Amino acid sequence: MTQNFITIDTKLSAQILRTAIKNSGYSVAELQEMLYLACPQPIYRWMNGTTLPSIDNLYRLSVILGISMEDLLVVSGERKDRYIPIEK
């Protein structure tokens, strides 16, 4: 029996999130305030692909950035560049 596991591509998701934040015009400090974070480090970790936002923060980001949660995340093997141009 073969098991298929769905995994999130954190590096590609980070590129999409980084581009979405850049295109939004919000600074990291402004997002930090809107997300009620004590420091900006989590945002930098999300943008670098070190970690993923919690479900709560992913939802908040989707509302702030005007992009669905599904479009902010990339499942391994799937391409999302049709939604947001990926930085090269």
Side-chain angles (χ1 to χ4, degrees), residues 45-75:
R45 288 185 196 115
W46 304 335
M47 291 170 54
N48 290 325
T50 307
T51 62
L52 290 171
S54 68
I55 296 295
D56 292 341
N57 285 326
L58 185 62
Y59 176 74
R60 289 182 188 120
L61 281 169
S62 74
V63 171
I64 291 167
L65 301 174
I67 301 170
S68 73
M69 291 173 34
E70 294 85 3
D71 289 343
L72 287 174
L73 298 176
V74 178
V75 174

Side-chain angles (χ1 to χ4, degrees), residues 14-66:
Q15 288 179 358
I16 290 173
L17 182 59
R18 189 170 45 249
T19 302
I21 289 171
K22 179 181 170 186
N23 292 343
S24 75
Y26 291 117
S27 69
V28 170
E30 290 170 322
L31 287 174
Q32 173 191 344
E33 188 175 315
M34 287 187 261
L35 295 170
Y36 305 104
L37 299 172
C39 67
Q41 293 310 316
I43 298 171
Y44 289 114
R45 288 185 196 115
W46 304 335
M47 291 170 54
N48 290 325
T50 307
T51 62
L52 290 171
S54 68
I55 296 295
D56 292 341
N57 285 326
L58 185 62
Y59 176 74
R60 289 182 188 120
L61 281 169
S62 74
V63 171
I64 291 167
L65 301 174

Side-chain angles (χ1 to χ4, degrees), residues 1-8 75-77:
M1 181 165 93
T2 319
Q3 292 183 349
N4 293 326
F5 295 99
I6 297 173
T7 58
I8 302 295
V75 174
S76 291

